[in-house]
Amino acid sequence: MVKKIRASVPAKVILFGEHFVVYGKSALASAINKRLTVDVSSREKRGYHIKIENIPTFGLEMNLLGEEERALPYKDYGAATKAIAYVKESIRYLEEEYEIGGGAEGVEIEIKSEIPLSAGLGSSAATCVATVAALKEYFGISGDLEEIREDAHSIELAVQGAASPLDTAISTYGGYVLVEKGEVKRLRLAELNLIIGTIGSIPLSMGMDTKKASEMSLKTKKIVADVKTRKETFTSIFDAIFAASDEITAQAIRAMKDRDFVKLGELMNINHGLLDAIGVVPRRLSELVKMSQESGALGAKVTGAGGLDEMGAVGSVLVLPGESVDRIKAAMEVAGALVMDVNAGGEELKIEVGSD
Ligand code: MEV
């Protein structure tokens, strides 16, 4: 009998406060109804075998065992390398922290995702949370959600350098999460219907250039570091921008509680302006935001880390559509974006135990 564990987690959108949260300012994020699943089962051959199937963009397979390690055919190398980095670090971390011994046994890890990778929708955190949850269950390590979240956050930090606890908290708990002064708080807020527009996970011009692809996998790290440099040059200006962001998040929570969506949309537009001011809005994402606003959106903004023109502007925008859903979606599709309708406030981490 083969034991099978499935962990499934939601992707996220940051509604307010990305980047500013890295400096202790508040940020509000929501789980969305797009999920990533990790299936863990035993295999006859020794070592870990990892298979990644990303429905919007690509697939990749890899054997993880010392010198035998090799990648099998893939399409989107950059995003796949990135996902593999988080899985490898999850295994390394669990082996060290909990002394799991899958290398000797033979473990199959299969990842399926409904969310584009490297797009600011929390795929890295989702991969960490689901991999940790599935492997811990598979190896019989008990623990609560809080521990899974903390393990996953340590893994994300090890790969990425700097990371706030926001993304791993959302993938673990679902719903809405506010991070305030580094503390994670779960909030009860009403569901929202949103549109996400994503500029593809890797520009074709980068092709299979592995150097560029691995630079790509560090996109968030690079953008966060660029913001830090600018903040050091323009400290007092950035302090004022950061204080404004804190106020936006506070007012946005009030607007959501009051169901004042016009105000909420305006706050999204202002938040986008601040993200542009700190230099994380590349041309193509800026166009998606402007087009959505012109097409009648109540609000639109970059969500997540943003993007870099030299990396093909890969990233996502978040739109509160109001009455103009179809016009906004059509405009974004013409601009070459992958467009998704999503509900904010999605469900938390789920673990299923089964057997063949
Ligand atoms: C990335 O999804 C969001 C950033 O604020 C970084 C972080 O919070 O770790 C840019």
Side-chain angles (χ1 to χ4, degrees), residues 158-176:
V159 179
Q160 227 166 268
S164 74
L166 193 59
D167 292 12
T168 38
I170 272 293
S171 279
T172 309
Y173 301 135
Y176 291 92

Side-chain angles (χ1 to χ4, degrees), residues 188-208:
R188 269 182 187 280
L189 297 167
E191 219 180 72
L192 278 180
N193 295 326
L194 299 163
I195 299 172
I196 292 174
T198 298
I199 295 295
S201 58
I202 194 164
L204 281 176
S205 59
M206 284 191 179
M208 309 276 255

Side-chain angles (χ1 to χ4, degrees), residues 17-78:
E18 51 276 268
H19 285 288
F20 311 112
V21 67
V22 175
Y23 297 88
K25 299 296 169 195
S26 52
L28 178 67
S30 163
I32 54 174
N33 57 334
K34 297 278 172 197
R35 297 183 76 85
L36 178 142
T37 58
V38 172
D39 288 322
V40 172
S41 56
S42 53
R43 70 191 287 256
E44 273 175 22
K45 276 183 133 181
R46 226 161 66 74
Y48 294 91
H49 178 256
I50 302 168
K51 194 168 166 195
I52 298 182
E53 204 177 297
N54 181 250
I55 293 152
T57 45
F58 77 97
L60 173 124
E61 263 186 85
M62 183 174 232
N63 276 320
L64 263 196
L65 187 68
E67 65 281 8
E68 259 185 53
E69 194 170 297
R70 68 198 167 92
L72 304 168
Y74 50 74
K75 284 188 205 139
D76 185 345
Y77 191 84

Side-chain angles (χ1 to χ4, degrees), residues 3-302:
K3 188 169 159 194
K4 278 194 165 212
I5 308 295
R6 166 166 293 184
S8 122
V9 298
K12 69 107 212 302
V13 286
I14 299 183
L15 295 164
F16 294 95
E18 51 276 268
H19 285 288
F20 311 112
V21 67
V22 175
Y23 297 88
K25 299 296 169 195
S26 52
L28 178 67
S30 163
I32 54 174
N33 57 334
K34 297 278 172 197
R35 297 183 76 85
L36 178 142
T37 58
V38 172
D39 288 322
V40 172
S41 56
S42 53
R43 70 191 287 256
E44 273 175 22
K45 276 183 133 181
R46 226 161 66 74
Y48 294 91
H49 178 256
I50 302 168
K51 194 168 166 195
I52 298 182
E53 204 177 297
N54 181 250
I55 293 152
T57 45
F58 77 97
L60 173 124
E61 263 186 85
M62 183 174 232
N63 276 320
L64 263 196
L65 187 68
E67 65 281 8
E68 259 185 53
E69 194 170 297
R70 68 198 167 92
L72 304 168
Y74 50 74
K75 284 188 205 139
D76 185 345
Y77 191 84
T81 316
K82 175 177 168 177
I84 288 284
Y86 290 96
V87 178
K88 278 168 104 172
E89 179 57 26
S90 301
I91 294 167
R92 194 208 60 74
Y93 174 91
L94 293 175
E95 281 184 339
E96 196 177 292
E97 273 312 289
Y98 301 99
E99 295 176 6
I100 65 163
E105 288 182 24
V107 180
E108 185 74 39
I109 300 176
E110 200 169 329
I111 301 180
K112 289 201 181 81
S113 174
E114 294 175 339
I115 41 173
L117 304 186
S118 295
L121 301 177
S123 61
S124 312
T127 304
C128 296
V129 173
T131 305
V132 164
L135 283 173
K136 281 179 98 170
E137 183 70 34
Y138 181 82
F139 287 107
I141 301 161
S142 58
D144 56 13
L145 281 186
E146 184 69 19
E147 278 170 348
I148 292 173
R149 177 180 80 72
E150 281 170 7
D151 291 335
H153 185 228
S154 305
I155 293 160
E156 205 186 23
L157 270 179
V159 179
Q160 227 166 268
S164 74
L166 193 59
D167 292 12
T168 38
I170 272 293
S171 279
T172 309
Y173 301 135
Y176 291 92
V177 166
L178 172 71
V179 170
E180 207 170 29
K181 300 188 178 70
E183 294 288 307
V184 172
K185 294 181 189 164
R186 299 166 73 178
L187 297 189
R188 269 182 187 280
L189 297 167
E191 219 180 72
L192 278 180
N193 295 326
L194 299 163
I195 299 172
I196 292 174
T198 298
I199 295 295
S201 58
I202 194 164
L204 281 176
S205 59
M206 284 191 179
M208 309 276 255
D209 180 334
T210 47
K211 183 167 172 289
K212 284 205 178 121
S214 71
E215 277 166 16
M216 185 80 184
S217 71
L218 299 173
K219 187 194 85 169
T220 301
K221 192 174 180 174
K222 173 150 176 38
I223 300 175
V224 169
D226 287 354
V227 171
K228 183 163 182 270
T229 309
R230 263 176 236 124
K231 181 171 161 39
E232 279 160 10
T233 312
F234 300 104
T235 309
S236 56
I237 298 172
F238 270 55
D239 284 349
I241 295 174
F242 281 33
S245 171
D246 239 5
E247 182 57 25
I248 291 171
T249 305
Q251 291 205 18
I253 292 170
R254 239 170 285 143
M256 283 181 80
K257 286 184 175 157
D258 296 345
R259 304 188 73 77
D260 185 343
F261 299 115
V262 171
K263 188 164 182 194
L264 188 69
E266 281 179 21
L267 290 164
M268 287 171 72
N269 293 337
I270 302 171
N271 187 171
H272 178 74
L274 299 188
L275 291 171
D276 205 4
I278 65 166
V280 301
V281 179
R283 181 178 59 81
R284 291 191 69 193
L285 294 183
S286 176
E287 282 167 4
L288 292 185
V289 167
K290 288 279 172 228
M291 279 172 13
S292 304
Q293 289 164 341
E294 273 172 21
S295 307
L298 295 178
K301 66 183 279 287
V302 153

Side-chain angles (χ1 to χ4, degrees), residues 284-350:
R284 291 191 69 193
L285 294 183
S286 176
E287 282 167 4
L288 292 185
V289 167
K290 288 279 172 228
M291 279 172 13
S292 304
Q293 289 164 341
E294 273 172 21
S295 307
L298 295 178
K301 66 183 279 287
V302 153
T303 186
L308 292 168
D309 278 312
E310 67 264 32
M311 287 185 175
V314 171
S316 297
V317 302
L318 180 67
V319 180
L320 184 63
E323 302 294 310
S324 318
V325 178
D326 292 340
R327 271 178 65 198
I328 295 166
K329 283 165 68 175
M332 287 211 279
E333 269 160 14
V334 168
L338 172 74
V339 182
M340 293 185 285
D341 289 295
V342 297
N343 296 326
E347 290 191 294
E348 74 280 15
L349 161 68
K350 305 242 188 256

